[in-house]
Amino acid sequence: MKRPWIITAFLFTTAGGTVTAADELAVEDIVHRANKVAFYAGKDARAQVHMTITDGQGRTRERRFVMLRQDLPDTDDLTAAAYRGEQRYYVFFQRPADVNRMVFMVWKKLEGDDDRWLYLPALDLVKRIAAADKRTSFVGSDFLYEDVSGRDIDEDKHRLVEVTADYYVLESTPRDPATVEFARYRSYIHKDSFVPVQVEFFDSQGTQYRVGKALAVETIAGHPTITRSSMENLRTGSITEVTFGDVQYDLGLPDELFTERYLRSPPREYLR
């Protein structure tokens, strides 16, 4: 697999100097561009995902699924604010056997809580996921449901705390602390690509307890794309690594695919 660059914590070297007023003016633009790269590349997208969960004792579990995404704005132009539009996500699980044909679907909204569904094939049950559950584990991994579909950038206050040779370093605090388990998080945004290469979460005591990293990035159809990432729980020693394969953009996914009908009847032509 082609990897133009591999990103690790060791690359976060300081260029020196203090954050200037001119830098401060760029905070909103940095946040918007990073959000677009992470969650809004193309008008829609498809990826084959392989997830490996390793617990604190070194035991591993695997997950394989296909993720489909549709943006409701008819453009991916940053100046048209497409990166703030509503979205649909459809996640179809293939492996292991006990989750085969399970489906997770999200309607990501700009106003109010997102709509989320989970289809459990063993019970032939469609379950609505409460808004409060979006910061719980995604299928037993170290990623949360909100990590998968993204967090609205207006839910947090963002501050530029450092500019290095390669990265903008942002610190974000929740506007409503009662709705989340973190007190703040720090993001390292690559200057050229605006890829968020590392995110560190801190609790109210200032202790870092969760770290997400982009481990490999490729340019696909003109979009900087994370093709391998990880999330580590520093409290339990558990780590989840995810590889994204066969990534495609602008497929023209039909609207009806992201409806309850397709929870029980998966669209096979898009899941192979």
Side-chain angles (χ1 to χ4, degrees):
M1 180 172 65
K2 180 182 177 184
R3 294 174 187 167
W5 65 85
I6 302 297
I7 303 166
T8 70
F10 299 106
L11 293 180
F12 302 143
T13 54
T14 303
T18 58
V19 177
T20 67
D23 291 325
E24 291 286 357
L25 295 176
V27 173
E28 183 178 70
D29 190 47
I30 294 167
V31 171
H32 289 175
R33 289 178 179 274
N35 191 56
K36 179 182 186 295
V37 168
F39 297 105
Y40 286 87
K43 299 174 186 177
D44 59 33
R46 175 197 182 278
Q48 182 77 46
V49 185
H50 180 202
M51 175 182 284
T52 302
I53 307 163
T54 305
D55 69 16
Q57 276 117 32
R59 296 171 297 194
T60 62
R61 290 171 290 149
E62 308 262 334
R63 299 276 188 270
R64 287 186 182 271
F65 52 91
V66 175
M67 180 181 292
L68 306 174
R69 189 204 80 221
Q70 179 193 53
D71 296 353
L72 296 193
D74 60 3
T75 176
D76 62 355
D77 182 0
L78 184 69
T79 61
Y83 58 92
R84 297 303 309 279
E86 296 191 354
Q87 293 178 307
R88 306 287 187 259
Y89 284 85
Y90 185 101
V91 182
F92 179 79
F93 289 85
Q94 300 166 317
R95 297 285 186 275
D98 62 345
V99 297
N100 183 36
R101 297 184 60 247
M102 186 172 78
V103 180
F104 169 58
M105 187 170 70
V106 179
W107 287 10
K108 187 175 175 180
K109 298 180 178 180
L110 292 181
E111 301 292 336
D113 294 326
D114 297 345
D115 289 327
R116 299 164 186 261
W117 295 264
L118 190 65
Y119 173 62
L120 304 172
L123 303 174
D124 192 27
L125 174 68
V126 173
K127 177 183 177 183
R128 292 293 294 267
I129 299 176
D133 290 343
K134 64 184 179 180
R135 293 200 61 79
T136 59
S137 171
F138 177 67
V139 294
S141 75
D142 297 290
F143 288 90
L144 308 183
Y145 280 99
E146 192 172 66
D147 296 327
V148 176
S149 56
R151 178 174 173 80
D152 191 290
I153 57 178
D154 282 347
E155 291 189 79
D156 306 309
K157 294 178 285 187
H158 308 280
R159 184 170 62 95
L160 183 64
V161 296
E162 188 178 5
V163 180
T164 77
D166 298 306
Y167 302 100
Y168 299 110
V169 185
L170 304 180
E171 190 156 282
S172 305
T173 55
R175 295 183 185 276
D176 185 356
T179 63
V180 292
E181 84 291 347
F182 62 84
R184 60 185 174 91
Y185 61 93
R186 181 166 287 204
S187 307
Y188 296 81
I189 311 298
H190 192 267
K191 281 184 174 179
D192 293 334
S193 66
F194 290 93
V195 171
V197 300
Q198 182 155 312
V199 182
E200 304 164 345
F201 292 88
F202 297 83
D203 62 21
S204 57
Q205 283 74 48
T207 301
Q208 184 182 133
Y209 69 94
R210 205 163 70 101
V211 180
K213 297 179 182 179
L215 302 176
V217 177
E218 298 181 30
T219 298
I220 300 174
H223 301 289
T225 302
I226 296 173
T227 55
R228 189 160 62 91
S229 66
S230 66
M231 184 66 72
E232 183 176 7
N233 186 324
L234 301 179
R235 291 169 174 164
T236 66
S238 176
I239 185 168
T240 299
E241 185 167 313
V242 177
T243 301
F244 300 89
D246 192 24
V247 178
Q248 300 174 52
Y249 294 106
D250 299 316
L251 296 162
L253 297 174
D255 294 347
E256 61 267 20
L257 189 154
F258 300 89
T259 61
E260 285 195 54
R261 169 190 169 191
Y262 281 92
L263 293 175
R264 288 187 168 90
S265 303
R268 300 292 179 184
E269 64 270 32
Y270 296 106
L271 301 176
R272 296 188 179 94

